[in-house]
Amino acid sequence: MLRYFAIMLISCCFLACQKEQEEKLPAPVQELIRSAGTECTCLPYINKYRWKGNIVYVLAYKGPACDWAPAFYNSKGENHILPAPDNFIDFYNEAVLIETVWECNPGKK
């Protein structure tokens, strides 16, 4: 009985940590995710990076036939980050990927 209680307690801790991590996303980034819905034509995704000591969220797309430009957001979810990346390639070469925060999945609602 004690073993089951311990397993359940540990499971709750893991679930609580996962929920806490989701809530740490800046409100504007959460709004981007909500507004995207299930429109996945160009396979959008948001990655979280560490770049020049700062947290940067990048909205990008995987669709090979789509014309797009990345959108950069700072740790507060503001669209203007300073210093601004010189170009997309240099950013990716300098940045360290922390995690994929979100990717559009048309089959998941």
Side-chain angles (χ1 to χ4, degrees):
M1 181 71 167
L2 185 59
R3 186 178 301 169
Y4 293 113
F5 178 73
I7 290 171
M8 196 158 52
L9 181 64
I10 291 170
S11 298
C12 289
C13 290
F14 282 118
L15 291 174
C17 292
Q18 183 178 11
K19 179 75 172 173
E20 182 179 316
Q21 182 179 8
E22 290 173 3
E23 291 174 356
K24 288 184 181 179
L25 285 176
V29 174
Q30 290 178 6
E31 184 57 36
L32 277 173
I33 293 169
R34 275 193 291 277
S35 66
T38 57
E39 175 52 47
C40 297
T41 304
C42 290
L43 303 174
Y45 65 94
I46 298 174
N47 281 346
K48 180 179 179 181
Y49 294 90
R50 179 166 305 282
W51 179 67
K52 295 187 176 182
N54 299 309
I55 296 297
V56 177
Y57 295 92
V58 177
L59 171 63
Y61 299 85
K62 295 179 187 175
C66 298
D67 185 22
W68 60 274
F72 297 94
Y73 300 88
N74 65 15
S75 61
K76 296 178 184 176
E78 298 165 339
N79 197 9
H80 303 288
I81 63 171
L82 295 174
D86 294 329
N87 64 54
F88 199 47
I89 302 296
D90 288 343
F91 172 81
Y92 273 112
N93 288 335
E94 296 171 1
V96 175
L97 176 65
I98 296 173
E99 67 179 319
T100 297
V101 173
W102 170 80
E103 54 187 345
C104 193
N105 185 347
K108 190 177 182 182
K109 292 187 178 182

mmCIF file with all atom_site columns, all heavy atoms in Angstrom, residues 1-9:
data_model
loop_
_atom_site.group_PDB
_atom_site.id
_atom_site.type_symbol
_atom_site.label_atom_id
_atom_site.label_alt_id
_atom_site.label_comp_id
_atom_site.label_asym_id
_atom_site.label_entity_id
_atom_site.label_seq_id
_atom_site.pdbx_PDB_ins_code
_atom_site.Cartn_x
_atom_site.Cartn_y
_atom_site.Cartn_z
_atom_site.occupancy
_atom_site.B_iso_or_equiv
_atom_site.pdbx_formal_charge
_atom_site.auth_seq_id
_atom_site.auth_comp_id
_atom_site.auth_asym_id
_atom_site.auth_atom_id
_atom_site.pdbx_PDB_model_num
ATOM 1  N N   . MET A 1 1 ? 0.829  -1.198 0.000  1.00 0.00 ? 1 MET A N   1
ATOM 2  C CA  . MET A 1 1 ? 0.000  0.000  0.000  1.00 0.00 ? 1 MET A CA  1
ATOM 3  C C   . MET A 1 1 ? 0.870  1.258  0.000  1.00 0.00 ? 1 MET A C   1
ATOM 4  O O   . MET A 1 1 ? 0.587  2.198  -0.725 1.00 0.00 ? 1 MET A O   1
ATOM 5  C CB  . MET A 1 1 ? -0.920 -0.041 1.230  1.00 0.00 ? 1 MET A CB  1
ATOM 6  C CG  . MET A 1 1 ? -1.825 1.130  1.327  1.00 0.00 ? 1 MET A CG  1
ATOM 7  S SD  . MET A 1 1 ? -3.075 1.024  0.051  1.00 0.00 ? 1 MET A SD  1
ATOM 8  C CE  . MET A 1 1 ? -4.186 2.226  0.608  1.00 0.00 ? 1 MET A CE  1
ATOM 9  N N   . LEU A 1 2 ? 1.904  1.243  0.808  1.00 0.00 ? 2 LEU A N   1
ATOM 10 C CA  . LEU A 1 2 ? 2.808  2.384  0.879  1.00 0.00 ? 2 LEU A CA  1
ATOM 11 C C   . LEU A 1 2 ? 3.513  2.614  -0.457 1.00 0.00 ? 2 LEU A C   1
ATOM 12 O O   . LEU A 1 2 ? 3.718  3.749  -0.874 1.00 0.00 ? 2 LEU A O   1
ATOM 13 C CB  . LEU A 1 2 ? 3.836  2.164  1.997  1.00 0.00 ? 2 LEU A CB  1
ATOM 14 C CG  . LEU A 1 2 ? 4.780  3.325  2.269  1.00 0.00 ? 2 LEU A CG  1
ATOM 15 C CD1 . LEU A 1 2 ? 4.002  4.574  2.655  1.00 0.00 ? 2 LEU A CD1 1
ATOM 16 C CD2 . LEU A 1 2 ? 5.761  2.953  3.361  1.00 0.00 ? 2 LEU A CD2 1
ATOM 17 N N   . ARG A 1 3 ? 3.840  1.527  -1.126 1.00 0.00 ? 3 ARG A N   1
ATOM 18 C CA  . ARG A 1 3 ? 4.497  1.622  -2.430 1.00 0.00 ? 3 ARG A CA  1
ATOM 19 C C   . ARG A 1 3 ? 3.598  2.323  -3.447 1.00 0.00 ? 3 ARG A C   1
ATOM 20 O O   . ARG A 1 3 ? 4.051  3.176  -4.207 1.00 0.00 ? 3 ARG A O   1
ATOM 21 C CB  . ARG A 1 3 ? 4.848  0.217  -2.927 1.00 0.00 ? 3 ARG A CB  1
ATOM 22 C CG  . ARG A 1 3 ? 5.665  0.231  -4.200 1.00 0.00 ? 3 ARG A CG  1
ATOM 23 C CD  . ARG A 1 3 ? 6.035  -1.134 -4.652 1.00 0.00 ? 3 ARG A CD  1
ATOM 24 N NE  . ARG A 1 3 ? 6.819  -1.805 -3.612 1.00 0.00 ? 3 ARG A NE  1
ATOM 25 C CZ  . ARG A 1 3 ? 7.135  -3.075 -3.601 1.00 0.00 ? 3 ARG A CZ  1
ATOM 26 N NH1 . ARG A 1 3 ? 6.733  -3.861 -4.586 1.00 0.00 ? 3 ARG A NH1 1
ATOM 27 N NH2 . ARG A 1 3 ? 7.828  -3.606 -2.631 1.00 0.00 ? 3 ARG A NH2 1
ATOM 28 N N   . TYR A 1 4 ? 2.316  1.993  -3.474 1.00 0.00 ? 4 TYR A N   1
ATOM 29 C CA  . TYR A 1 4 ? 1.384  2.628  -4.399 1.00 0.00 ? 4 TYR A CA  1
ATOM 30 C C   . TYR A 1 4 ? 1.218  4.116  -4.077 1.00 0.00 ? 4 TYR A C   1
ATOM 31 O O   . TYR A 1 4 ? 1.131  4.948  -4.981 1.00 0.00 ? 4 TYR A O   1
ATOM 32 C CB  . TYR A 1 4 ? 0.022  1.930  -4.373 1.00 0.00 ? 4 TYR A CB  1
ATOM 33 C CG  . TYR A 1 4 ? 0.080  0.538  -4.929 1.00 0.00 ? 4 TYR A CG  1
ATOM 34 C CD1 . TYR A 1 4 ? -0.139 -0.560 -4.112 1.00 0.00 ? 4 TYR A CD1 1
ATOM 35 C CD2 . TYR A 1 4 ? 0.379  0.321  -6.267 1.00 0.00 ? 4 TYR A CD2 1
ATOM 36 C CE1 . TYR A 1 4 ? -0.066 -1.840 -4.620 1.00 0.00 ? 4 TYR A CE1 1
ATOM 37 C CE2 . TYR A 1 4 ? 0.453  -0.956 -6.784 1.00 0.00 ? 4 TYR A CE2 1
ATOM 38 C CZ  . TYR A 1 4 ? 0.226  -2.035 -5.958 1.00 0.00 ? 4 TYR A CZ  1
ATOM 39 O OH  . TYR A 1 4 ? 0.298  -3.303 -6.457 1.00 0.00 ? 4 TYR A OH  1
ATOM 40 N N   . PHE A 1 5 ? 1.189  4.423  -2.797 1.00 0.00 ? 5 PHE A N   1
ATOM 41 C CA  . PHE A 1 5 ? 1.086  5.815  -2.386 1.00 0.00 ? 5 PHE A CA  1
ATOM 42 C C   . PHE A 1 5 ? 2.316  6.602  -2.845 1.00 0.00 ? 5 PHE A C   1
ATOM 43 O O   . PHE A 1 5 ? 2.197  7.717  -3.357 1.00 0.00 ? 5 PHE A O   1
ATOM 44 C CB  . PHE A 1 5 ? 0.940  5.913  -0.861 1.00 0.00 ? 5 PHE A CB  1
ATOM 45 C CG  . PHE A 1 5 ? 0.885  7.323  -0.368 1.00 0.00 ? 5 PHE A CG  1
ATOM 46 C CD1 . PHE A 1 5 ? -0.243 8.108  -0.570 1.00 0.00 ? 5 PHE A CD1 1
ATOM 47 C CD2 . PHE A 1 5 ? 1.970  7.886  0.299  1.00 0.00 ? 5 PHE A CD2 1
ATOM 48 C CE1 . PHE A 1 5 ? -0.287 9.411  -0.120 1.00 0.00 ? 5 PHE A CE1 1
ATOM 49 C CE2 . PHE A 1 5 ? 1.929  9.183  0.740  1.00 0.00 ? 5 PHE A CE2 1
ATOM 50 C CZ  . PHE A 1 5 ? 0.795  9.951  0.537  1.00 0.00 ? 5 PHE A CZ  1
ATOM 51 N N   . ALA A 1 6 ? 3.496  6.022  -2.712 1.00 0.00 ? 6 ALA A N   1
ATOM 52 C CA  . ALA A 1 6 ? 4.737  6.684  -3.138 1.00 0.00 ? 6 ALA A CA  1
ATOM 53 C C   . ALA A 1 6 ? 4.749  6.898  -4.651 1.00 0.00 ? 6 ALA A C   1
ATOM 54 O O   . ALA A 1 6 ? 5.147  7.969  -5.131 1.00 0.00 ? 6 ALA A O   1
ATOM 55 C CB  . ALA A 1 6 ? 5.943  5.866  -2.701 1.00 0.00 ? 6 ALA A CB  1
ATOM 56 N N   . ILE A 1 7 ? 4.316  5.907  -5.407 1.00 0.00 ? 7 ILE A N   1
ATOM 57 C CA  . ILE A 1 7 ? 4.260  6.029  -6.869 1.00 0.00 ? 7 ILE A CA  1
ATOM 58 C C   . ILE A 1 7 ? 3.289  7.138  -7.263 1.00 0.00 ? 7 ILE A C   1
ATOM 59 O O   . ILE A 1 7 ? 3.576  7.950  -8.146 1.00 0.00 ? 7 ILE A O   1
ATOM 60 C CB  . ILE A 1 7 ? 3.873  4.685  -7.516 1.00 0.00 ? 7 ILE A CB  1
ATOM 61 C CG1 . ILE A 1 7 ? 5.025  3.687  -7.352 1.00 0.00 ? 7 ILE A CG1 1
ATOM 62 C CG2 . ILE A 1 7 ? 3.530  4.869  -8.991 1.00 0.00 ? 7 ILE A CG2 1
ATOM 63 C CD1 . ILE A 1 7 ? 4.678  2.280  -7.755 1.00 0.00 ? 7 ILE A CD1 1
ATOM 64 N N   . MET A 1 8 ? 2.138  7.182  -6.605 1.00 0.00 ? 8 MET A N   1
ATOM 65 C CA  . MET A 1 8 ? 1.153  8.203  -6.922 1.00 0.00 ? 8 MET A CA  1
ATOM 66 C C   . MET A 1 8 ? 1.680  9.594  -6.554 1.00 0.00 ? 8 MET A C   1
ATOM 67 O O   . MET A 1 8 ? 1.511  10.549 -7.320 1.00 0.00 ? 8 MET A O   1
ATOM 68 C CB  . MET A 1 8 ? -0.159 7.930  -6.164 1.00 0.00 ? 8 MET A CB  1
ATOM 69 C CG  . MET A 1 8 ? -1.306 8.703  -6.739 1.00 0.00 ? 8 MET A CG  1
ATOM 70 S SD  . MET A 1 8 ? -2.955 8.058  -6.381 1.00 0.00 ? 8 MET A SD  1
ATOM 71 C CE  . MET A 1 8 ? -2.971 7.865  -4.638 1.00 0.00 ? 8 MET A CE  1
ATOM 72 N N   . LEU A 1 9 ? 2.381  9.722  -5.462 1.00 0.00 ? 9 LEU A N   1
ATOM 73 C CA  . LEU A 1 9 ? 2.940  10.999 -5.046 1.00 0.00 ? 9 LEU A CA  1
ATOM 74 C C   . LEU A 1 9 ? 4.001  11.489 -6.041 1.00 0.00 ? 9 LEU A C   1
ATOM 75 O O   . LEU A 1 9 ? 4.002  12.651 -6.446 1.00 0.00 ? 9 LEU A O   1
ATOM 76 C CB  . LEU A 1 9 ? 3.551  10.885 -3.645 1.00 0.00 ? 9 LEU A CB  1
ATOM 77 C CG  . LEU A 1 9 ? 4.157  12.158 -3.067 1.00 0.00 ? 9 LEU A CG  1
ATOM 78 C CD1 . LEU A 1 9 ? 3.073  13.201 -2.885 1.00 0.00 ? 9 LEU A CD1 1
ATOM 79 C CD2 . LEU A 1 9 ? 4.843  11.861 -1.752 1.00 0.00 ? 9 LEU A CD2 1
#
